[in-house]
Amino acid sequence: MAGSVNKVILVGNLGRDPEVRRLSNGEPVVNLRIATSETWKDKGTGERKEKTEWHSVVIFNENLGRVAEQYLKKGSKVYIEGQLQTRKWQDQQGQEKYTTEIVLQRFRGELTILDSRQGGGEQFDEEHSGGSIQRGGDFGGRAPAERRPAPAGGSSRHTDLDDDIPF
Amino acid sequence: MAGSVNKVILVGNLGRDPEVRRLSNGEPVVNLRIATSETWKDKGTGERKEKTEWHSVVIFNENLGRVAEQYLKKGSKVYIEGQLQTRKWQDQQGQEKYTTEIVLQRFRGELTILDSRQGGGEQFDEEHSGGSIQRGGDFGGRAPAERRPAPAGGSSRHTDLDDDIPF
Amino acid sequence: MAGSVNKVILVGNLGRDPEVRRLSNGEPVVNLRIATSETWKDKGTGERKEKTEWHSVVIFNENLGRVAEQYLKKGSKVYIEGQLQTRKWQDQQGQEKYTTEIVLQRFRGELTILDSRQGGGEQFDEEHSGGSIQRGGDFGGRAPAERRPAPAGGSSRHTDLDDDIPF
Amino acid sequence: MAGSVNKVILVGNLGRDPEVRRLSNGEPVVNLRIATSETWKDKGTGERKEKTEWHSVVIFNENLGRVAEQYLKKGSKVYIEGQLQTRKWQDQQGQEKYTTEIVLQRFRGELTILDSRQGGGEQFDEEHSGGSIQRGGDFGGRAPAERRPAPAGGSSRHTDLDDDIPF
DNA sequence: TTTT
DNA sequence: TTTT
């Protein structure tokens, strides 16, 4: 079309470990299930309510895929930026289905890890804010410096691309 | 969960006129179909390529719904901010389906009209529009001044809520 | 103008406790200093580098101001959404200065607390994700249910509005 | 710090033609002045009010800089995504000043042209524009296909980098 | 089904 | 300094 924007921003937690498939060239394609939720008090009863929404995220961005594979696991909190994409597929009965996903294309999207369970005291001081590099950085995936060797898998589940189940 | 964000930002064009249903209290619920697209040149052939993505938007925010009803039509360009929501429904064969929509809840979300093709049959009179809103403004929907009587419908299609078709 | 958007999204940590001033009607106006930072490896030396950016946030939104006052302190990690605003002022030598802030207007903006140091084990399970309400919720500030009594101050510094120092 | 996000999203109009400076290697650095505004009706008087905010944008992203140089001019409407950056400088009296800008770093940020007033003197020829880009497209600047030769300048003002005035 |  |  021209002049359009398609952007999704999520801050949420992984409902399970990342699922990693691998392209023939070794690049990872990572699927995440991310929960966001809202809480409110019912106006009538005063009861506390919560509604959780589940999102399917697909990471084609190579650098961000490696970060996801290496550092994320069930329960991790992340900031994710991607775009909406709906694809059509057929279930085993030949029924048409649509699935909408948040996609991080090659060289696009953002992934930032927001929890820091790991490592020491996580000090934080305006005066001494230098020098603390740990998990939790912004892996924009666009700087060559951020490339690192493919990890051995860690907590992520590996599946082959042929096993691809659409939802 | 706690501490989550679920946000979609779209800039795109309406593929058809808004569809307006009405709650029993007269509040509009407006559905939009919005196209975003990306264009690129094929690396191999140098050919111009385009891929369009279609989004379903549902506006429960009363003020923004009235703005959509009154000012948007097929082709309009808008900035939309809402949240992702997936709902489950059954088609007429009893098949389970999922539909993901961008939802603007009551008192939430944003809608800004981005085109200003003011000419044409669609005259634009402050007296008839309630005096406060012209096309192209930011209808944040949170200021009381922006409330106005339900419009007569304009170019939008009205359907009853009972006719609700899920996709 | 018409058809414009002015939005800032920050995820960062407070460099110091919130500063709370109070309007004559008792509403809090809260100032935050928030750090965001980027880390990268120097292409030449391979050295780890970090650059921190400091942001001034002003919260006029009453509900979000109370949340900030009550729950935030030095080191807290937050998601903030507001708008850019630059104001002109004069220092004591009569020199013109400009300060750009991220402003959360009355009834506008978002504030979500992203750390959860406090309370128990922070379990997280896709199957049992219900029932955990604690700090870290989305205080959209637009639902009446979210109003709560003014806190006693906690870790925040109180200053009178007359002491207002511009930067 | 770790785990931070620093993002600005603007939709607004250029107050003047882009200002283009050039690095020694020929890469453009483009400055934009962008207006966003809000309108509302005064609760008391019913009067129409408007407040305009001006933003300074600096584009270091080479591809987006070329797009800005070539296609934007005073009055153009754009979607811009960048990050906040405050820099300190001294005026000619040696006074310390701070300026906050929206920066599109190399390989980062987004720029989408939102108006399509195609008529007028500003003809628009695929052959002259390098064949790949028309007004209104998404110039993400990350696809190799989008690279093109430096344009002759168009409506933009050129200044040398040595003339750099900070505000 | 939009737009360029 | 833009735009409506």
Side-chain angles (χ1 to χ4, degrees):
Chain A
M1 176 181 341
S4 68
V5 173
N6 174 359
K7 182 175 294 286
V8 180
I9 290 172
L10 298 179
V11 173
N13 296 74
L14 272 70
R16 52 178 190 240
D17 287 344
E19 277 179 35
V20 184
R21 299 167 293 144
R22 210 159 285 285
L23 299 174
S24 48
N25 63 5
E27 283 187 27
V29 176
V30 180
N31 285 264
L32 308 177
R33 283 292 280 176
I34 293 184
T36 57
S37 75
E38 296 185 276
T39 59
W40 69 97
K41 243 196 265 180
D42 187 274
K43 281 168 290 184
T45 67
E47 223 182 337
R48 211 88 179 76
K49 302 261 201 162
E50 179 174 43
K51 184 165 178 288
T52 295
E53 191 72 35
W54 287 96
H55 310 271
S56 290
V57 173
V58 190
I59 306 176
F60 293 102
N61 178 312
E62 184 184 351
N63 287 329
L64 299 184
R66 295 203 198 287
V67 169
E69 187 181 21
Q70 203 166 3
Y71 298 113
L72 297 183
K73 59 172 195 285
K74 179 172 169 176
S76 297
K77 176 163 292 216
V78 288
Y79 172 96
I80 287 270
E81 206 177 306
Q83 57 184 297
L84 278 178
Q85 218 162 276
T86 298
R87 59 190 172 74
K88 194 180 182 173
W89 53 284
Q90 296 203 339
D91 69 10
Q92 291 170 328
Q93 288 80 46
Q95 289 287 328
E96 276 189 359
K97 306 267 185 179
Y98 291 85
T99 295
T100 300
E101 295 161 320
I102 293 96
V103 177
L104 283 69
Q105 298 285 19
R106 279 174 56 105
F107 307 116
R108 311 206 57 172
E110 293 184 27
L111 167 60
T112 300
I113 306 178
L114 295 177
D115 44 11
S116 44
R117 41 174 128 181
Q118 192 172 61
E122 170 106 2
Q123 54 49 287
F124 191 81
D125 189 323
E126 190 168 351
E127 278 78 49
H128 311 95
S129 65
S132 70
I133 283 62
Q134 78 266 56
R135 261 181 65 193
D138 178 359
F139 304 100
R142 274 157 302 214
E146 283 160 5
R147 299 185 188 263
R148 66 193 64 81
S155 63
S156 39
R157 283 182 276 162
H158 285 253
T159 46
D160 203 71
L161 269 176
D162 307 310
D163 299 328
D164 200 356
I165 291 156
F167 193 79
Chain B
M1 173 183 344
S4 68
V5 173
N6 173 359
K7 182 175 293 288
V8 180
I9 289 172
L10 299 178
V11 173
N13 297 75
L14 273 70
R16 54 177 187 240
D17 287 343
E19 277 180 33
V20 184
R21 298 166 297 143
R22 209 160 285 286
L23 299 174
S24 47
N25 63 5
E27 284 188 28
V29 176
V30 180
N31 285 263
L32 307 177
R33 282 293 278 176
I34 292 184
T36 57
S37 76
E38 295 185 277
T39 59
W40 70 96
K41 236 202 279 188
D42 186 275
K43 282 168 290 183
T45 67
E47 225 182 334
R48 205 99 181 73
K49 301 263 200 165
E50 179 175 45
K51 182 163 178 292
T52 295
E53 191 71 36
W54 287 97
H55 310 270
S56 289
V57 174
V58 190
I59 306 174
F60 293 102
N61 178 310
E62 183 184 352
N63 287 329
L64 299 184
R66 295 202 199 288
V67 168
E69 186 181 23
Q70 204 167 2
Y71 300 115
L72 296 182
K73 59 172 198 284
K74 181 173 169 173
S76 297
K77 176 164 291 216
V78 287
Y79 172 95
I80 287 270
E81 206 177 307
Q83 56 185 295
L84 277 179
Q85 217 163 276
T86 299
R87 59 190 171 75
K88 194 180 183 174
W89 53 284
Q90 297 203 338
D91 69 7
Q92 290 170 328
Q93 288 81 45
Q95 289 287 327
E96 275 189 359
K97 306 266 186 179
Y98 291 85
T99 296
T100 299
E101 296 161 319
I102 294 97
V103 177
L104 283 68
Q105 298 285 20
R106 280 174 57 104
F107 306 116
R108 309 207 58 172
E110 292 185 29
L111 167 60
T112 300
I113 306 178
L114 294 177
D115 45 10
S116 45
R117 39 176 129 172
Q118 218 128 348
E122 197 185 17
Q123 61 42 292
F124 211 75
D125 188 335
E126 262 200 43
E127 273 167 351
H128 297 112
S129 71
S132 67
I133 304 261
Q134 79 269 41
R135 279 184 49 181
D138 178 358
F139 307 100
R142 276 158 300 211
E146 281 162 6
R147 302 186 183 264
R148 70 201 66 82
S155 64
S156 39
R157 282 184 275 162
H158 286 253
T159 44
D160 203 72
L161 269 177
D162 307 311
D163 299 328
D164 200 356
I165 291 156
F167 192 78
Chain C
M1 177 179 346
S4 68
V5 173
N6 173 359
K7 183 175 294 287
V8 180
I9 289 172
L10 300 179
V11 173
N13 297 73
L14 272 70
R16 53 176 188 240
D17 288 343
E19 276 180 34
V20 184
R21 299 167 295 145
R22 209 161 286 285
L23 299 174
S24 47
N25 62 6
E27 284 187 28
V29 175
V30 180
N31 286 263
L32 309 176
R33 282 293 279 177
I34 293 184
T36 58
S37 75
E38 295 184 278
T39 59
W40 69 98
K41 241 195 266 179
D42 186 275
K43 282 169 288 184
T45 67
E47 222 182 335
R48 211 90 179 75
K49 301 262 201 164
E50 179 174 44
K51 183 165 179 289
T52 296
E53 191 71 36
W54 287 97
H55 310 271
S56 290
V57 174
V58 190
I59 307 176
F60 293 102
N61 178 312
E62 183 184 351
N63 288 327
L64 299 184
R66 294 202 199 286
V67 168
E69 188 181 20
Q70 204 166 4
Y71 298 115
L72 298 181
K73 60 173 194 285
K74 180 174 169 174
S76 297
K77 176 163 289 213
V78 288
Y79 172 96
I80 287 270
E81 206 177 307
Q83 56 184 295
L84 278 179
Q85 218 162 277
T86 298
R87 60 190 170 74
K88 194 180 180 173
W89 53 283
Q90 297 203 339
D91 69 9
Q92 290 170 326
Q93 288 81 47
Q95 290 287 327
E96 276 190 359
K97 307 267 184 177
Y98 291 84
T99 296
T100 300
E101 297 161 319
I102 294 96
V103 176
L104 284 69
Q105 297 285 19
R106 279 174 57 104
F107 308 116
R108 311 207 59 173
E110 292 184 29
L111 168 60
T112 300
I113 305 177
L114 295 177
D115 45 10
S116 43
R117 42 175 126 173
Q118 193 172 61
E122 170 105 3
Q123 55 48 288
F124 191 83
D125 190 323
E126 190 167 355
E127 278 77 49
H128 313 93
S129 66
S132 70
I133 283 63
Q134 78 266 55
R135 262 180 63 189
D138 178 358
F139 307 98
R142 276 157 302 212
E146 282 162 6
R147 302 190 183 259
R148 66 193 65 80
S155 65
S156 39
R157 281 183 274 162
H158 286 253
T159 43
D160 203 72
L161 269 176
D162 307 310
D163 300 327
D164 201 356
I165 292 156
F167 191 72
Chain D
M1 177 181 347
S4 68
V5 173
N6 174 359
K7 183 175 293 288
V8 179
I9 290 173
L10 299 178
V11 174
N13 297 75
L14 273 70
R16 52 177 189 242
D17 288 343
E19 276 180 33
V20 184
R21 298 167 295 145
R22 210 160 286 284
L23 299 174
S24 47
N25 63 5
E27 284 187 27
V29 175
V30 180
N31 286 264
L32 308 177
R33 281 293 280 176
I34 293 185
T36 58
S37 76
E38 296 184 277
T39 58
W40 69 96
K41 236 202 276 186
D42 186 275
K43 282 169 287 184
T45 66
E47 225 182 334
R48 205 107 183 68
K49 300 263 200 164
E50 179 175 44
K51 183 165 180 290
T52 295
E53 191 71 35
W54 287 97
H55 310 272
S56 290
V57 174
V58 189
I59 306 176
F60 293 102
N61 179 310
E62 182 183 353
N63 286 329
L64 299 184
R66 293 202 200 288
V67 168
E69 187 181 22
Q70 204 166 4
Y71 299 115
L72 296 182
K73 61 171 195 286
K74 181 173 170 172
S76 297
K77 176 165 290 213
V78 288
Y79 171 96
I80 288 268
E81 206 177 306
Q83 56 185 295
L84 278 179
Q85 217 163 278
T86 299
R87 59 190 172 74
K88 193 178 181 174
W89 53 284
Q90 296 203 339
D91 69 8
Q92 291 170 326
Q93 287 80 46
Q95 290 287 329
E96 276 190 359
K97 307 267 186 179
Y98 291 85
T99 296
T100 299
E101 296 161 320
I102 293 96
V103 176
L104 284 70
Q105 298 285 20
R106 281 175 57 106
F107 308 116
R108 311 207 58 173
E110 292 183 30
L111 168 60
T112 301
I113 306 178
L114 294 176
D115 45 10
S116 45
R117 40 176 128 170
Q118 218 128 349
E122 197 183 19
Q123 66 35 296
F124 211 74
D125 187 337
E126 263 201 43
E127 276 168 346
H128 296 112
S129 70
S132 67
I133 303 261
Q134 78 270 44
R135 279 182 51 176
D138 178 358
F139 306 100
R142 274 157 302 213
E146 281 162 6
R147 303 188 182 263
R148 71 201 66 82
S155 65
S156 40
R157 281 184 275 161
H158 286 253
T159 44
D160 203 73
L161 269 177
D162 307 310
D163 299 327
D164 201 357
I165 292 157
F167 192 75

